[in-house]
Amino acid sequence: MTAVQASHGEWVDQDAGPVVRPYALTGGLTRPSGQRLDLLDLVRAVRRAAWDRPQLSPEQAELLQRCQMPTTLVDLAADLDLPVGVIRILVSDLRERGLITIHRPQPPGFSDLKILQEVVNGLRRI
Amino acid sequence: MAYDGYDRAPDRNTGAADSPITVKILIAGGFGAGKTTLVGSVSEIRPLRTEETLSERSELVDSLNGVEGKSTTTVAMDFGRITIRKDLVVYLFGTPGQRRFWFMWDDLAYGALGAVVIADERRLADCFPSVDYFEGSGIPFVVAVNRFDGAHRHGLDSITGALNLSAGVPVVACDARSRESCRDVLVTLAEHAIARHHERPAPQPHLVR
């Protein structure tokens, strides 16, 4: 893997791609541990007291802030403006440290007609 | 349903009032058919990037000169939310419909309520792969013919025939720029999904992992 090098006096703009490579945000981890997480899996922080750990990256600290209430993986990716793959790794790592829980609610699609009807009625109102 | 490897989930029927119920709808169609426009018209659109492994097919397309070690690529996705109430949220995901993106579709299709396939009458063949995908996976879908320029080139019946759709798949005209029109498409899809539920048991997305 080659490092991004900016020569003297050369400006690197957004078109050059991210200057910080994704693996730099994940502590060198390149794949999440455990089962692949779904975009709509719900992530929730478990312990307030654990936040101040110095070994947390700024991104992980922000993730913890944002999932005090159950929050989907995809919303976290949009909130932090990071690729889903990076969020998957950060979230898996936080889970291994016992700082968050992840759960996958059963999709209501085919199990709950009452909710589906609510979706239809809700969509009609938008 | 229990999922191995997940933390014990509170049942939404017995509490966990703060866990939102999420509903996933996919927006498919060929390049330029109006996916981004539809998602923007009807939902609170949000930026989303996803990093995915390059499939063999896309390696042929994406130039890897000078970055031979590269095995993933970052893809922008259309992503929007419709908040029906605080704890009931519809998520719209749009991605390119070409077959080489099917590895993304398998990921996205899990648990989807259904899909909208946007068709452009001038390039109807562009939506064949999306139609094939959803017919193969058993996910309920509707075809929305995006008539943004007001031109009606074909009747909806002839489009149904040209796409060789199974009986009962709704085909509707829409204007992807119009919130009301896109809303009607989503309502048609949700009603179609309910009707399908009455017909037969829940389909499972074919997951390839």
Side-chain angles (χ1 to χ4, degrees), chain B residues 53-155:
Chain B
T53 309
L54 286 177
S55 67
E56 286 179 25
R57 286 293 298 278
S58 64
E59 280 173 31
L60 298 175
V61 177
D62 295 3
S63 169
L64 295 178
N65 291 341
V67 284
E68 285 81 2
K70 185 182 177 187
S71 60
T72 63
T73 190
T74 304
V75 187
M77 289 175 65
D78 295 315
F79 165 47
R81 288 170 47 119
I82 301 170
T83 306
I84 289 187
R85 53 177 161 81
K86 186 164 165 278
D87 57 349
L88 177 56
V89 184
V90 174
Y91 288 80
L92 303 181
F93 292 101
T95 71
Q98 296 95 313
R99 275 176 211 277
R100 70 188 179 92
F101 289 102
W102 277 17
F103 66 97
M104 285 171 66
W105 282 105
D106 282 334
D107 217 26
L108 281 173
Y110 169 79
L113 170 70
V116 174
V117 175
I118 306 181
D120 179 340
E121 286 179 278
R122 298 165 301 181
R123 291 169 295 167
L124 204 53
D126 286 2
C127 70
F128 289 172
S130 305
V131 168
D132 284 350
Y133 183 89
F134 295 117
E135 287 198 327
S137 59
I139 294 173
F141 69 100
V142 301
V143 175
V145 182
N146 188 13
R147 287 177 164 162
F148 43 87
D149 58 0
H152 292 213
R153 290 169 180 81
H154 309 286

Side-chain angles (χ1 to χ4, degrees), chain A residues 19-31:
Chain A
V19 175
V20 178
R21 302 298 298 164
Y23 61 78
L25 299 176
T26 61
L29 299 174
T30 55
R31 61 188 60 190

Side-chain angles (χ1 to χ4, degrees), chain A residues 1-2 18 21-22 35-42 44 68-72 74-86 88 95 100-113 115-126, chain B residues 1 3-10 12-13 18-25 42 46-52 69 74 77 79 81-82 84-86 88 90-91 93 107-108 110-113 140 179 183 186-187 190-191 193-194 197-198 202-203 209:
Chain A
M1 191 73 74
T2 53
R21 302 298 298 164
Q35 189 170 341
R36 186 171 174 85
L37 301 176
D38 184 69
L39 291 171
L40 295 186
D41 281 351
L42 291 167
R44 180 178 209 174
Q68 292 175 60
M69 299 294 278
T71 306
T72 62
V74 72
D75 278 311
L76 291 172
D79 287 344
L80 272 72
D81 193 21
L82 287 173
V84 171
V86 172
R88 281 194 167 111
R95 183 174 178 237
I100 56 158
T101 58
I102 302 169
H103 82 266
R104 177 175 293 187
Q106 185 175 6
F110 303 100
S111 61
D112 201 331
L113 278 175
I115 289 173
L116 280 185
Q117 198 57 55
E118 218 174 320
V119 169
V120 170
N121 295 340
L123 287 173
R124 282 206 182 100
R125 286 195 301 269
I126 66 173
Chain B
M1 191 184 294
Y3 290 92
D4 287 342
Y6 283 87
D7 304 307
R8 207 171 74 79
R12 69 165 174 271
N13 296 319
D18 55 357
S19 273
I21 297 169
T22 56
V23 175
K24 189 192 286 184
I25 291 178
V42 81
R46 310 198 67 200
L48 185 66
R49 288 174 291 149
T50 181
E51 276 214 326
E52 295 293 355
T74 304
M77 289 175 65
F79 165 47
R81 288 170 47 119
I82 301 170
I84 289 187
R85 53 177 161 81
K86 186 164 165 278
L88 177 56
V90 174
Y91 288 80
F93 292 101
D107 217 26
L108 281 173
Y110 169 79
L113 170 70
R179 182 179 180 85
R183 173 199 65 201
L186 295 181
V187 168
E191 288 176 334
I194 292 175
H197 174 84
H198 287 300
R209 285 185 186 162

Side-chain angles (χ1 to χ4, degrees), chain A residues 86-100:
Chain A
V86 172
I87 296 293
R88 281 194 167 111
I89 293 168
L90 294 176
V91 160
S92 298
D93 187 46
L94 286 173
R95 183 174 178 237
E96 282 200 343
R97 299 187 196 197
L99 298 177
I100 56 158

Side-chain angles (χ1 to χ4, degrees), chain B residues 185-207:
Chain B
V185 171
L186 295 181
V187 168
T188 302
L189 172 64
E191 288 176 334
H192 178 55
I194 292 175
R196 281 277 307 274
H197 174 84
H198 287 300
E199 286 167 21
R200 53 178 177 172
Q204 293 297 319
H206 55 244
L207 296 174

